[in-house]
Amino acid sequence: MISSKKIDPMFGRTDVSLVGRWWWTVDRLSLGALILLIVIGAVLVMAASPPVALRLELDPNHFIYRKLLLVIPAIVIVIFTSMLSPGVVRRIATIGLAISLVLLFWTVIGGTEVKGARRWISLGGLLLQPSELVKPTLAITAAAILAGAPVRKSRWAHLITAALLALVVGLLLMQPDFGMAMVVSGVWFVQLFVAGISLYWDIGLLLCVGLVALVSYLYLPHVAGRIDQFIDPAIGDRYQVDKALEALRVGGFLGRGPGEGQVKSVLPDAHSDFIFAVAGEEFGVLAGLIIVMLFALVVVRGLWRLSSEKDSFVLLSAVGLLVQFGGQAVANIGVNLHLLPTKGMTLPFISYGGSSMLAMAIGMGMFLALTKERVGSRNLNGWSKLQHYGAMNQ
Amino acid sequence: MRRILIGTSALPDSPDDSKSSYKGSSRSRLFTVLGLFILCFAVLSARLIDVSLLRDGGEPSITRAGSDRPGATGRADILDRNGVLLATTLRTPSLYANPRVLLDPEEAAKKLTTVLPDLSYNVLIQKLISKRSFAWLKRGLTPLQQHQVNSLGIPGLGFLDEYRRIYPQADLTSHIVGFCGIDNVGLSGIESRYNAELTAPDRLGQAISLSLDIRVQNVLHNELSEAVKTFQAVGAAGVVMDVESGEILAMVSLPDFDPNRFSEANAESRFNRASLGIYEMGSTFKAFTVAAALDTGIINLKSRYDATNPLRVARYWIRDDHAKNRWLSVPEIFIYSSNIGAAKMALDLGGDRQKAFLDKLGLLSPSTVELPEVAKPMWPQPWREDSTMTVGFGHGIAVSPIKIAAAIASLVNGGYRIDETLIRGKSVSAKPGDRVKSVSAKPGDRVVSAHTSKMMRALLRLVVTDGTGSQAEAVGYSVGGKTGTAEKPGKRGYRRDALISSFVGVFPSVAPRFLVLAVLDEPKGTKATHGFAGGGWTAAPTVSRVISKIGPMLDVMPIREKDAESHMILEISSEEENLEAF
């Protein structure tokens, strides 16, 4: 009824061009939230990064330029990727996984060592972090394998994805990058959980996770150190966490105002892992809550919409992408609020970091692509049923 | 309905696809994930509000850094016995520059010299034009100076907090409290001796309480300074001690220094004469000779010695400064400070017993006072007969003033050995003036009998009433004591012109509670003293003034002496009096 009266066909309901179809089928609310997060990230890097750049004896605007250089490409990637069809997404992801596995090998062999870990490779002057690219591609490939297998062969599908995961985790641990290994394992676990493996397996896997955690605590000193610091404030260096908490407290409800923050000048990772604290100090709890709400919006709305998704591939891959996105956000903000032990994890779209930003853009673009409205993609029940009836009644 | 896209052809589209195994439980499990995420985001939001809005602004998140609560500074305070601060640690800002960021070094240096006039422009400019990224400009600024530097608005300057040891009493306690280096490690005095305890993490914030009473310290310091000025002495040492507990209420060594600026102090002023200096104390030692002789019973107060003629010992002559040239009774030998009499008495006592007695008093070992600066005493080796004689009147043996104080206190406190201490409450009788009634309850080893101790009190009192120490009298405090005047050893024998003049006084002598020792190094006689520079003329009046001032502080009630002393009147048994009687 809207479109019929519109003279301009552009973006009308009747617009059947590629862009028009995309606009009316994509989840516009989630898209808006993601773009807003990217923009907020740009603003926050502007606020947080100059002191860090100065400390590293770079141009004060170094990180700002590089971030701004990424903002437009990131938005473009999100939109462009979201236009793809689920099949193309699957194919791209499979190829992407293969490429990123090669790059991961390369990283382990000839990567650039930064702070004692080989996580980056240099490609034509650009430092790339292949592990970022592994996350979305692995999630989608695993989903395809799980969804593609017939019921009686589901056990084999589980094993294949587990083998794939083991390969990736093995490569990540060689870097070493425990945080990333945890993320991919967690995503895989949730995918398997949603895919419906038996509860015994769920519990068994959780026990495995507990065992691995215990072993790391006992045998990896830096893991033990992090946990001990988290539990007992008197032990070790909690400098960054304490400063982050102080920043949030000082910020109050509306913050000190843009550029007025102090904590960024003393936090080494003000522009990446602790950018949330900078946001809290300069723009207040309000900004912090808005950021949390934006992440929550995308994750909760995405999962809610998936509840009526019938396509197993779409369901599992979208869950994987959302869990990665939401999990990283929760982990990062949790560290900033001292709810979790310190773990180097970026805040999706907001922290500074090119590879993370682009990979996240690809991942969330694919998520949008997968969750577009398709004929017969939904079980007709709940609110979606009403919506469909409404649409039909028109 | 072209507006609805067709799903991927590769995937099953039909709603009731039987191939998919993810049907029934899938939805509920998805909701589980959804619920967990909602929970996570809710917890994050709540925590965010809690951390920033509901948290009390003053509540520190950790217990160590960022505040000046006791213990935060890394070094505990040092207090006197009444809790007066002797040493503390303050957080002070130190100014540094990052010359790379500095826009205009000349202007910055010019501005800085206006606020910090003690900085030289040339030195500043050297630091500011350097290519380094860090240069200290000034350590330990005051808050006012920090504010002024900040007001200059020079970019590239910054402050780092440092912890600085502050000694509020400055030179008053320099030798006792000592000082710390720039890195806050104790280098002398209590600071060095108790460095580990002061910095021990498990007792941070627990101050160390010294036995010192800063008021008494102040009196002693003032009076000794005055004496040094009056008699143009090169130095002085003094001690005020509780004779029952051995607690040191005051200990002064002059010249001294300001521990806040220890680097400006020379070696002479850093030297603690009271504990590290050892001196031949002269006649003071006669107290030990007499006490030993009385206690062993070889003499009594009626015994007499011939002091008619000087005594020849090896190459030397032993003469009396206040020569009477006649037979002298034991009290006379003591109050007129007869060297001849004391030497003969020491001979009667014998070298072995003399040495054993001095050892029992602790005079032959280094002081146990809680300072790193203690000296070993020097005594004759071998201990021959002539040594016995000279030690009898305090020559040939050199000990530190603090040991003399403790030894005399041991003689008068009822006869038990006490050890000098600077730590409050270390000994059994903790409180000053805590009278320990029963002699048997005394903690230390007995050195002389209670009777001998009583006789020594009377003899010391006699020195003040009738002998060389008359100028030590402080009305109402019944001072007893002994003068000491010794020639300092020079390159060629003893120097007649360089004396160690001392007076050790105890009060009230009926039942002594406190001891005051004053030692002057090379005092010169004045018109008022008729050119005399001996202990009775220089140190005794100093002790008198100290006692008159600290008596009231230490709750010693003035007494009417005739009443109090009626039971301890001692017969001098002078030959002169006997002659008169004839």
Side-chain angles (χ1 to χ4, degrees), chain A residues 13 21 57 86-87 90 146-147 151 190 193-197 199 202 233-234 236 238 242 245 248-249 252-253 276 285 288-289 292-293 295-296 299-300 303-304 306-307 310-313 315 319 323 326-327 330 333-334 337-339 373-376 381, chain B residues 1-23 25-35 37-38 40-49 51-53 55-64 100 133:
Chain A
R13 286 270 185 189
R21 270 186 295 171
E57 304 197 341
R90 191 182 56 178
L146 292 172
V151 183
V190 175
F193 175 73
V194 173
I197 57 165
L199 273 174
D202 288 331
R238 295 201 333 170
D242 288 328
L245 285 180
L248 289 166
R249 208 190 63 225
F253 188 68
F276 187 78
V285 179
L289 285 176
V292 173
M293 289 308 159
F295 281 109
V299 174
V300 173
L303 289 173
W304 180 263
L306 285 173
S307 66
K310 288 189 305 174
D311 187 317
S312 303
F313 165 69
L315 173 66
V319 163
V323 166
V330 168
I333 297 173
L337 296 173
H338 195 228
L339 287 170
E373 297 280 351
R374 300 182 312 280
V375 168
N381 57 14
Chain B
M1 297 293 275
R2 285 167 70 193
R3 63 192 160 97
I4 295 175
L5 276 186
I6 305 298
T8 63
S9 53
L11 283 162
D13 286 338
S14 104
D16 300 307
D17 177 38
S18 57
K19 204 174 84 177
S20 174
S21 58
Y22 316 113
K23 287 274 84 160
S25 64
S26 228
R27 259 173 71 88
S28 61
R29 289 191 175 191
L30 195 67
F31 279 120
T32 309
V33 176
L34 179 65
F37 265 109
I38 289 176
C40 282
F41 285 117
V43 167
L44 287 184
S45 306
R47 170 74 176 171
L48 182 59
I49 289 165
V51 161
S52 53
L53 299 181
R55 200 51 68 89
D56 170 21
E59 182 195 336
S61 50
I62 47 171
T63 49
R64 290 176 290 119
R100 291 189 186 188
S133 60

Side-chain angles (χ1 to χ4, degrees), chain A residues 24-348:
Chain A
W24 288 115
T25 53
V26 80
D27 181 14
R28 293 179 297 280
L29 203 55
S30 295
L31 176 69
L34 292 173
I35 292 176
L36 197 53
L37 279 174
I38 294 175
V39 173
I40 288 175
V43 173
L44 288 181
V45 168
M46 275 187 215
S49 75
V52 182
L54 280 175
R55 265 204 306 278
L56 298 174
E57 304 197 341
L58 299 165
D59 182 83
N61 295 328
H62 174 85
F63 292 116
I64 300 176
Y65 289 147
R66 302 192 68 151
K67 177 89 182 185
L68 289 181
L69 230 68
L70 285 169
V71 165
I72 304 299
I75 294 174
V76 169
I77 287 174
V78 170
I79 293 173
F80 177 78
T81 317
S82 66
M83 289 178 174
L84 304 172
S85 69
V88 177
V89 165
R90 191 182 56 178
R91 251 164 274 151
I92 290 178
T94 316
I95 298 165
L97 179 64
I99 294 173
S100 45
L101 279 176
V102 172
L103 291 179
L104 262 188
F105 269 120
W106 188 4
T107 313
V108 173
I109 298 162
T112 313
E113 192 165 323
V114 180
K115 291 187 198 168
R118 290 175 187 272
R119 295 177 187 171
W120 287 266
I121 49 168
S122 189
L123 269 184
L126 265 166
L127 274 182
L128 272 184
Q129 200 177 353
S131 50
E132 291 286 356
L133 202 58
V134 161
K135 285 188 285 187
T137 54
L138 179 68
I140 295 170
T141 310
I145 294 170
L146 292 172
V151 183
R152 55 195 153 76
K153 290 193 175 168
S154 66
R155 181 67 50 81
W156 284 105
H158 298 162
L159 285 176
I160 292 169
T161 57
L164 211 52
L165 176 82
L167 176 66
V168 170
V169 166
L171 286 170
L172 288 175
L173 290 183
M174 281 164 80
Q175 294 189 349
D177 193 338
F178 293 98
M180 211 67 94
M182 265 160 54
V183 171
V184 291
S185 312
V187 167
W188 175 77
F189 175 73
V190 175
Q191 283 182 312
L192 235 57
F193 175 73
V194 173
I197 57 165
S198 82
L199 273 174
Y200 295 112
W201 275 105
D202 288 331
I203 293 163
L205 284 171
L206 280 178
L207 285 178
C208 279
V209 169
L211 196 68
V212 168
L214 190 69
V215 168
S216 338
Y217 180 77
L218 291 178
Y219 292 102
L220 296 172
H222 91 270
V223 175
R226 292 264 176 89
I227 308 284
D228 288 345
Q229 281 166 31
F230 177 72
I231 295 167
D232 183 357
I235 302 177
D237 182 17
R238 295 201 333 170
Y239 182 78
Q240 298 222 68
V241 174
D242 288 328
K243 285 289 168 197
L245 285 180
E246 191 189 315
L248 289 166
R249 208 190 63 225
V250 168
F253 188 68
L254 289 172
R256 290 182 152 191
E260 295 297 316
Q262 301 288 312
V263 72
K264 59 192 181 189
S265 59
V266 294
L267 275 183
D269 292 332
H271 64 312
S272 55
D273 292 358
F274 284 94
I275 198 162
F276 187 78
V278 176
E281 188 184 19
E282 300 203 354
F283 303 98
V285 179
L286 194 60
L289 285 176
I290 288 173
I291 293 172
V292 173
M293 289 308 159
L294 284 174
F295 281 109
L297 173 76
V298 173
V299 174
V300 173
R301 180 179 162 82
L303 289 173
W304 180 263
R305 279 165 47 94
L306 285 173
S307 66
S308 54
E309 177 65 56
K310 288 189 305 174
D311 187 317
S312 303
F313 165 69
V314 169
L315 173 66
L316 293 178
S317 47
V319 163
L321 293 168
L322 273 184
V323 166
Q324 185 213 326
F325 174 78
Q328 260 184 255
V330 168
N332 177 280
I333 297 173
V335 168
N336 273 268
L337 296 173
H338 195 228
L339 287 170
L340 296 169
T342 318
K343 177 71 228 104
M345 202 164 287
T346 53
L347 190 55

Side-chain angles (χ1 to χ4, degrees), chain B residues 380-418:
Chain B
Q381 282 167 318
W383 196 295
R384 291 190 305 262
E385 195 165 73
D386 56 329
S387 314
T388 304
M389 291 163 76
T390 57
V391 169
F393 56 89
H395 278 75
I397 183 164
V399 298
S400 54
I402 188 75
K403 290 267 28 160
I404 288 289
I408 294 286
S410 302
L411 290 187
V412 299
N413 66 5
Y416 64 94
R417 158 100 179 249
I418 52 129

Side-chain angles (χ1 to χ4, degrees), chain B residues 66-203:
Chain B
S67 73
D68 279 344
R69 278 170 297 108
T73 57
R75 199 173 177 87
D77 293 344
I78 301 175
L79 308 175
D80 90 336
R81 68 182 311 116
N82 300 314
V84 177
L85 205 57
L86 304 183
T88 188
T89 310
L90 292 184
R91 195 174 53 178
T92 56
S94 285
L95 176 65
Y96 71 89
N98 181 352
R100 291 189 186 188
V101 182
L102 216 58
L103 299 174
D104 186 348
E106 279 91 7
E107 194 204 353
K110 215 176 286 170
K111 279 182 173 175
L112 276 175
T113 48
T114 63
V115 176
L116 305 167
D118 52 332
L119 291 181
S120 126
Y121 176 82
N122 290 329
V123 175
L124 265 183
I125 202 81
Q126 283 301 316
K127 287 178 177 173
L128 294 182
I129 59 173
S130 71
K131 283 276 167 275
R132 291 179 299 167
S133 60
F134 186 91
W136 281 122
L137 299 185
K138 186 171 166 58
R139 313 285 284 265
L141 272 68
T142 63
L144 177 65
Q145 286 172 321
Q146 184 183 27
H147 173 74
Q148 288 170 331
V149 171
N150 272 331
S151 305
L152 295 177
I154 304 170
L157 297 185
F159 297 94
L160 284 179
D161 280 339
E162 293 192 289
Y163 290 101
R164 197 173 151 199
R165 201 70 169 155
I166 303 285
Y167 305 96
Q169 305 295 341
D171 57 350
L172 200 51
T173 58
S174 47
H175 293 101
I176 299 161
V177 172
F179 58 86
C180 283
I182 190 88
D183 49 359
N184 282 351
V185 171
L187 296 181
S188 79
I190 292 288
E191 290 275 39
S192 166
R193 177 61 165 38
Y194 287 100
N195 192 53
E197 288 83 350
L198 286 165
T199 55
D202 56 321
R203 52 163 294 165

Side-chain angles (χ1 to χ4, degrees), chain B residues 501-525:
Chain B
S501 300
S502 63
F503 187 85
V504 53
V506 295
F507 72 99
S509 56
V510 193
R513 288 177 55 191
F514 299 103
L515 172 147
V516 179
L517 168 67
V519 182
L520 293 172
D521 192 352
E522 296 188 27
K524 317 282 182 295

